[in-house]
Amino acid sequence: VTVGTIMLRLSLAAWLLFSLAWRTTPTACRQIRPPQSIQQMLATQLQSYMDTRARPCENFYQYACGNWQIQQEEQTFPRERERDRDRERERYQEQLLPTDILEGIDSSLNRRLELLLRRTNGSSIEGDSMVLELMRLYYRSCKRLKPYNLKKYLVLLQPSNLTHWPSVGRGWRPDSFDWITTMGRLRLHGLNGALLRMDILPRWDDSRSYSLYVNKPSRQETLPMGEGAIIELLLDIGQTKRAANALARQVDDFEHKLHRLQDLDDDEGPREMQLGYLATYLPQLRWLSFMRQVRDDSELDLRSTLIIENIPYLRALSELVEAQAPDTVCSYIMLKWLAFLKTQGPAEISRGECVSSLRRAMPLASSWLISQRFFDPDSEPEIRALFRRLKRRFGQTLSENRLRLSPPLVHILQQKIRAMRLQLGFVQMDDLENVELYHAHLELSDHNFYGNQLELIRQRVVANYDLLSMNSTNTTNSTRGSVSYLAESWDASNSSPLYVRPRNLVLVPHGLLQLPVWHRNISSLQQHAVLGFALAHELAHGFDMSGIDYDDLGNIMGPVEEIGASKQFRQGLNCMQQQMATGSKWLDEKLADFAALRLAYETFFGVRADQREPRDPLVPQFSQRQLFFISFAQFFCGRTPVSSLRSQSQAHLEHAADELRVMQTLANFEEFSREFGCEKKAKMQASHRCRLW
């Protein structure tokens, strides 16, 4: 080795050491930047979403959210792939980009859950949990799926023990088909609202106990699916186009006849009767055959009671069904069940969709796991304090008595707001024992997705029927406030909060309590403008047209008629109804939006308009009150879907609904116009501002 070679090697070694030292040692020329705080990150995010070229008094949604979609695309399609970015965006945007803030939160949760479910071992407490192992079995069975095949369900579950489905195989025996028996069998496996409804709900007069309610379906549930949707389902299960077209015409004709039964008046009203007496009162309904399918593991108690409504509809239903060809009725029931099952399974076979399907199939287990892994328990006192402040301010609003109600009515409403409770999470964090008990008898397989799905649906239905055995005299406080009866119908794959009327309770899933909605280090203004608005919106549902029918205990004994007689109340409703052509589809939603924005704003700022707060140094170009309105609007930011001839409308309409929801809510709040200096003729000023409470 020459001296030159040695010197070269020493030079290279010295250069490497110097380079390493320079990279790891801060210098005056290159300082290491400290990580951003939560408030700095949110301030940067707030400004990046805004389109400041828009005029806030003309379209505040565009002003607050105009660049939201661009920011989502920047995160999904990095700049270093600029050449292929436009092509990829057009191809994958619908799958990769969240539709709105809530979907973004749920997508993030699904990714984190997916990583947890893929682990084979865990060091934390849930790593040894039987519940987590069941969730992993379900997830793996979903991942092993080929394209989601609805026909598999029809093979696993027949309409009865005596016949097969008319569209599957050669075992169809029309003489052995009994529609009420088939309805009972499928009710046990999730079908509800096809031909009739049967629900287990808190009693109207004593919400501590439960009753079985029999009723007609809603108008929405009997709306004809349309021949196109029917043909699509039939093709999915292997029917030929010719056979699918012929059967679709028959089923569509039956659907239209069924929907017309909705016009029958309920002149008999709701009745409570014993199960044994119902067999005599409505013999054509053959309700005992239905119940024997639902309660196949227990003896029927003929002295047990149920509450039945819309009896004229049920009589006419029996006549209509008996007049139809058996294969038409059986096919209709089958198609309604398949449409339900389609919503329960994954939209596509992907990791994210399998986690969404898991959250729907196992709502208690997934809710418990999210609370354990992704919720900061130290946040709970602050969230409860925020809820108490909102309740206190709403109580003051009731005391101001804008509606000029009588003192006894104001007292009843005050009682209700004082009694209203907040529950964080569908399942409590320390409730592992009950969650494991709920899943104790489940047998799932990582190679049988369709069997798993039916088993889990059946379990939720059976658990609801078990509530009927609860006795109100033995009901504990915790049971009285239970929302477990919602487990069958609750879509746990999204984190939207809700108001539970029979419990006088605001339920906030733990999944919602993530950034950008919540973090215990965000500013107080952000807390009130985002989570405060969401809480206030659900609180206001306790005092909308449906909510005031319930008293402070959750019984249907609220003063709805007395309040409805108020002239000021009717004027407020009429004002909102005139704006119903746009914005929120339902009057109750519009009422809750209008009341919630005012409530969250006044809870934070008080009622004095002349008071000025110091500006936030992170965004000094806006006043505190302007920041409140921007933060509120950005809670509704969403993307405009990629337009196509096939999918034009529904997605665009939903996006437009959020945009108009923000604009109408702000246009009806005088503080917004004052803060942004909007002129009277500006679009963001309503010609007549609506207010109820």
Side-chain angles (χ1 to χ4, degrees):
V1 179
T2 65
V3 174
T5 303
I6 295 172
M7 293 300 295
L8 178 62
R9 289 177 179 177
L10 289 173
S11 298
L12 286 172
W15 179 83
L16 287 172
L17 288 171
F18 175 78
S19 175
L20 179 62
W22 186 86
R23 289 172 181 271
T24 57
T25 306
T27 68
C29 299
R30 186 183 57 83
Q31 296 291 335
I32 295 177
R33 293 183 180 179
Q36 282 189 320
S37 69
I38 293 295
Q39 294 191 27
Q40 289 172 326
M41 183 190 73
L42 290 176
T44 302
Q45 177 181 280
L46 178 140
Q47 295 173 87
S48 70
Y49 288 171
M50 297 180 66
D51 177 7
T52 53
R53 297 168 300 176
R55 297 167 62 186
C57 292
E58 294 300 311
N59 187 335
F60 193 76
Y61 185 87
Q62 178 65 25
Y63 179 73
C65 297
N67 287 332
W68 184 87
Q69 183 170 334
I70 295 173
Q71 291 300 313
Q72 304 306 307
E73 293 173 7
E74 289 287 349
Q75 294 173 21
T76 308
F77 306 101
R79 294 190 179 190
E80 54 265 25
R81 297 189 300 169
E82 190 75 33
R83 181 184 304 172
D84 300 323
R85 179 176 163 194
D86 291 340
R87 189 189 314 159
E88 290 189 8
R89 178 175 57 202
E90 182 178 343
R91 184 178 176 187
Y92 295 115
Q93 189 183 69
E94 292 295 331
Q95 291 85 358
L96 296 178
L97 298 183
T99 303
D100 52 34
I101 296 291
L102 285 178
E103 186 177 306
I105 289 174
D106 282 316
S107 296
S108 174
L109 274 176
N110 288 349
R111 287 193 296 270
R112 294 156 75 187
L113 281 170
E114 189 265 332
L115 289 173
L116 182 61
L117 293 168
R118 288 169 61 191
R119 295 176 190 164
T120 55
N121 297 303
S123 58
S124 55
I125 182 172
E126 71 276 7
D128 300 321
S129 166
M130 169 268 291
V131 174
L132 183 58
E133 290 309 308
L134 287 172
M135 295 174 75
R136 284 182 172 138
L137 287 173
Y138 179 96
Y139 174 75
R140 287 199 289 267
S141 74
C142 180
K143 284 294 296 169
R144 288 191 170 110
L145 275 179
K146 301 301 181 185
Y148 192 35
N149 186 354
L150 294 173
K151 188 175 180 179
K152 298 281 189 179
Y153 292 115
L154 303 179
V155 175
L156 288 173
L157 189 68
Q158 304 296 339
S160 76
N161 294 331
L162 303 175
T163 182
H164 291 187
W165 298 102
S167 304
V168 181
R170 300 180 180 179
W172 166 241
R173 297 182 178 86
D175 294 339
S176 301
F177 170 67
D178 177 29
W179 72 274
I180 197 70
T181 300
T182 300
M183 287 294 297
R185 175 172 282 207
L186 296 191
R187 179 67 192 93
L188 182 60
H189 293 87
L191 181 63
N192 205 5
L195 302 182
L196 51 83
R197 282 201 68 84
M198 188 180 70
D199 298 286
I200 308 300
L201 298 170
R203 285 185 59 88
W204 68 274
D205 56 347
D206 181 7
S207 62
R208 297 172 298 175
S209 55
Y210 296 87
S211 270
L212 191 155
Y213 286 79
V214 180
N215 204 346
K216 69 178 182 180
S218 68
R219 280 190 174 273
Q220 184 69 26
E221 288 170 328
T222 59
L223 273 177
M225 291 181 279
E227 289 188 34
I230 294 172
I231 290 170
E232 185 178 341
L233 282 171
L234 290 172
L235 293 177
D236 281 349
I237 62 172
Q239 289 286 289
T240 65
K241 285 187 178 181
R242 183 175 180 179
N245 284 327
L247 184 54
R249 285 192 294 272
Q250 297 173 25
V251 173
D252 184 66
D253 179 66
F254 173 72
E255 281 192 302
H256 281 84
K257 293 176 181 177
L258 177 67
H259 190 60
R260 285 195 286 272
L261 297 185
Q262 290 282 355
D263 297 331
L264 292 172
D265 293 328
D266 185 14
D267 50 12
E268 298 186 40
R271 295 195 176 189
E272 184 167 6
M273 59 184 70
Q274 290 184 340
L275 182 59
Y277 179 66
L278 178 60
T280 304
Y281 188 78
L282 275 177
Q284 62 270 53
L285 200 58
R286 290 179 286 112
W287 195 250
L288 292 181
S289 298
F290 183 101
M291 290 300 297
R292 287 192 181 100
Q293 293 294 318
V294 179
R295 304 296 285 168
D296 61 348
D297 59 344
S298 60
E299 190 72 24
L300 290 180
D301 181 3
L302 299 183
R303 295 172 299 174
S304 63
T305 63
L306 51 79
I307 297 172
I308 187 167
E309 302 179 66
N310 286 290
I311 294 173
Y313 167 89
L314 295 172
R315 288 198 183 101
L317 171 67
S318 179
E319 294 174 5
L320 174 64
V321 170
E322 296 299 335
Q324 301 297 309
D327 58 331
T328 300
V329 177
C330 189
S331 296
Y332 169 77
I333 295 171
M334 176 194 73
L335 288 165
K336 296 293 281 188
W337 189 49
L338 291 179
F340 160 74
L341 291 169
K342 196 170 185 177
T343 67
Q344 298 299 298
E348 59 183 12
I349 309 306
S350 66
R351 292 172 179 175
E353 277 299 320
C354 281
V355 175
S356 291
S357 182
L358 167 67
R359 290 172 66 184
R360 286 189 291 271
M362 303 180 71
L364 271 65
S366 58
S367 300
W368 171 80
L369 190 59
I370 288 170
S371 74
Q372 287 289 311
R373 297 294 299 200
F374 311 129
F375 174 65
D376 176 11
D378 292 337
S379 294
E380 184 163 348
E382 294 182 55
I383 297 170
R384 293 194 176 279
L386 173 58
F387 187 66
R388 286 194 297 271
R389 291 195 295 273
L390 293 166
K391 283 176 54 176
R392 185 163 57 247
R393 175 57 204 151
F394 194 77
Q396 293 167 356
T397 300
L398 293 174
S399 298
E400 293 164 8
N401 199 10
R402 292 187 68 260
L403 301 181
R404 301 177 187 174
L405 303 173
S406 66
L409 279 181
V410 174
H411 177 70
I412 290 172
L413 296 174
Q414 291 277 15
Q415 275 186 315
K416 181 168 184 175
I417 190 61
R418 283 195 296 268
M420 189 178 290
R421 296 178 298 118
L422 173 67
Q423 179 171 318
L424 301 184
F426 194 82
V427 175
Q428 301 307 292
M429 295 180 65
D430 58 354
D431 215 10
L432 175 59
E433 184 178 350
N434 286 331
V435 174
E436 289 193 328
L437 184 63
Y438 182 89
H439 297 89
H441 302 294
L442 275 179
E443 294 184 7
L444 302 184
S445 165
D446 59 356
H447 287 82
N448 186 5
F449 175 81
Y450 301 98
N452 293 343
Q453 194 80 328
L454 293 181
E455 177 71 14
L456 289 164
I457 291 171
R458 177 190 174 109
Q459 182 214 30
R460 298 201 303 270
V461 175
V462 169
N464 257 20
Y465 279 89
D466 288 343
L467 295 172
L468 292 172
S469 61
M470 294 175 55
N471 190 319
S472 63
T473 58
N474 297 326
T475 305
T476 64
N477 290 333
S478 60
T479 307
R480 175 179 177 176
S482 170
V483 293
S484 59
Y485 74 94
L486 296 173
E488 185 195 346
S489 58
W490 182 49
D491 182 3
S493 65
N494 77 71
S495 299
S496 297
L498 64 152
Y499 174 70
V500 186
R501 291 192 291 265
R503 296 287 177 252
N504 192 22
L505 175 145
V506 173
L507 175 61
V508 178
H510 284 121
L512 179 70
L513 302 172
Q514 321 287 323
L515 283 171
V517 172
W518 176 263
H519 189 284
R520 59 194 177 108
N521 292 332
I522 65 176
S523 68
S524 182
L525 181 145
Q526 186 83 3
Q527 290 178 7
H528 284 76
V530 182
L531 183 61
F533 170 80
L535 293 173
H537 178 94
E538 301 308 326
L539 179 154
H541 275 312
F543 299 86
D544 63 21
M545 288 300 296
S546 303
I548 57 177
D549 213 8
Y550 291 76
D551 64 14
D552 59 318
L553 298 176
N555 301 323
I556 306 181
M557 296 181 179
V560 60
E561 294 180 1
E562 295 88 340
I563 294 175
S566 161
K567 178 182 177 182
Q568 288 74 20
F569 187 83
R570 293 197 305 272
Q571 287 175 343
L573 285 182
N574 290 337
C575 180
M576 292 182 188
Q577 284 170 338
Q578 290 174 7
Q579 298 185 16
M580 284 299 288
T582 54
S584 297
K585 184 176 180 181
W586 305 112
L587 182 61
D588 281 348
E589 291 300 317
K590 189 178 292 292
L591 188 158
D593 279 346
F594 288 10
L597 178 65
R598 182 179 299 275
L599 177 56
Y601 183 89
E602 292 180 351
T603 299
F604 184 67
F605 291 109
V607 294
R608 288 186 56 187
D610 58 344
Q611 184 175 338
R612 295 288 94 181
E613 301 78 22
R615 295 193 174 221
D616 187 337
L618 296 174
V619 273
Q621 65 270 42
F622 302 113
S623 72
Q624 288 276 294
R625 297 178 186 234
Q626 288 173 331
L627 277 177
F628 181 94
F629 293 122
I630 295 169
S631 299
F632 155 75
Q634 289 188 347
F635 180 60
F636 295 94
C637 286
R639 65 178 168 89
T640 304
V642 175
S643 177
S644 68
L645 291 175
R646 196 172 163 190
S647 75
Q648 209 144 354
S649 41
Q650 189 56 36
H652 281 273
L653 286 174
E654 288 174 359
H655 174 76
D658 273 343
E659 180 174 344
L660 291 169
R661 184 178 177 183
V662 168
M663 293 174 65
Q664 284 196 336
T665 302
L666 292 173
N668 279 274
F669 189 38
E670 63 278 1
E671 293 297 328
F672 168 80
S673 300
R674 181 183 295 115
E675 197 58 38
F676 282 92
C678 299
E679 299 178 355
K680 287 186 177 181
K681 293 184 179 180
K683 290 182 180 178
M684 292 301 301
Q685 276 229 56
S687 55
H688 299 286
R689 290 196 178 99
C690 304
R691 182 178 177 184
L692 211 59
W693 299 106

